[in-house]
């Protein structure tokens, strides 16, 4: 009888462990920051069937963000449904219906599966934001930062959910660029990491795994790449020759000729009015 009891306990424990290790299926996303990157992330999430709340500091900023998303969606729809204007309008309307806005981040994170931060590249500001949201978000909620330059571990340490914290670095323009860097810190659980990989794939992106190192992958490669263009110019190469490097479609922040021709939400607002770009 004792043997049977031990076997039963093991089975129950194993089942419980398996259940707790199940990945989070992200359905509801909260994006903090209505600037270029945040609006782009909100757009692609809503366009792929996710419910999105876009958060920024004022209604005026959010109105401009929403207008930028709508303009971007119309450009996408015009190409995607070139022969069917009615389908294009339906696509835009359906995507926009999946995006709501708020100026109170703490009030909307209680039921979200994923919080993606896309605010100013300032460690103190990010830490204060996540420390506050950590008190209101649900236990299962994953936190992710879109930072391109700051250490994810340093941001995660401001919370009590280091195991549910990772980097999720998109590239500009978000609706077009396929690459997403998923940054795993030493404390990020495998469950969280795999959940974010699945989320990126659900957006139609190509996620790559990164360690929490300066520049991650792309920007770490991009800096010496751009420096070489400068050196070519200094050595007497013509501007045209030096610009060959800059014209390549590397997925760096602001690099590549692709940036000039791809649709993305463009949000213009005075930087002094908000700490969130």
């Amino acid at each position: 009888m004792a043997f049977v009891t031990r076997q039963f306990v093991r089975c129950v424990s194993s089942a419980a462990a398996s259940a707790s290790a199940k990945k989070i299926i992200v359905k509801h996303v909260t994006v903090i920051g209505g600037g270029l990157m945040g609006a782009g992330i909100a757009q692609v999430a809503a366009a792929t069937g996710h419910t999105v709340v876009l958060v920024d500091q004022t209604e005026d900023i959010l109105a401009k963000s929403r207008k930028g998303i709508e303009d971007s969606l119309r450009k996408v729809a015009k190409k995607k449904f070139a022969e069917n204007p009615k389908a294009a309008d339906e696509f835009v309307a359906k995507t926009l219906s999946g995006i709501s806005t708020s100026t109170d981040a703490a009030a909307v994170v209680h039921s979200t599966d994923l919080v993606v931060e896309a605010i100013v590249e300032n460690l103190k500001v990010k830490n204060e934001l996540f420390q506050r949201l950590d008190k209101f978000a649900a236990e299962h909620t994953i936190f992710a930062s879109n930072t391109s330059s700051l250490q994810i571990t340093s941001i995660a340490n401001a919370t009590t959910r280091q195991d549910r914290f990772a980097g999720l670095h998109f590239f500009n323009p978000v609706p077009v660029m396929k690459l997403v860097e998923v940054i795993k810190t030493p404390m990020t659980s495998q469950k969280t990491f795999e959940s974010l990989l699945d989320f990126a794939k659900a957006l139609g992106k190509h996620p790559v795994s990164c360690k929490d190192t300066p520049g991650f992958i792309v920007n770490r490669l991009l800096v010496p790449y751009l420096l070489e263009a400068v050196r070519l110019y200094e050595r007497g190469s013509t501007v045209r020759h030096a610009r060959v490097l800059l014209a390549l479609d590397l997925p760096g922040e602001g690099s590549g000729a692709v940036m000039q021709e791809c649709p993305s939400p463009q949000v213009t607002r005075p930087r002094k009015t908000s700490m969130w770009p």
Side-chain angles (χ1 to χ4, degrees), residues 191-233:
K191 171 183 172 181
T192 296
F193 178 66
E194 291 180 4
S195 298
L196 290 176
L197 288 176
D198 287 350
F199 173 66
K201 291 174 183 176
L203 299 183
K205 302 300 184 183
H206 300 306
V208 291
S209 171
C210 305
K211 291 185 178 181
D212 191 14
T213 57
F216 311 134
I217 295 175
V218 174
N219 283 338
R220 188 161 186 167
L221 294 172
L222 181 63
V223 172
Y225 164 90
L226 295 177
L227 286 174
E228 190 60 29
V230 174
R231 292 190 185 101
L232 283 172
Y233 179 74

Side-chain angles (χ1 to χ4, degrees), residues 33-40 43 54 56 58-72 172 264-271 273-274 276-277:
L36 183 64
M37 297 303 293
Q43 176 183 324
L54 181 61
D56 212 307
T58 69
E59 294 293 347
D60 181 57
I61 292 172
L62 289 168
K64 291 177 181 177
S65 299
R66 192 173 181 85
K67 180 61 167 58
I69 292 172
E70 182 176 355
D71 290 345
S72 175
N172 181 36
S264 63
Q266 299 291 333
V267 182
T268 303
R269 55 187 170 85
R271 283 196 175 272
T273 64
S274 172
W276 296 350

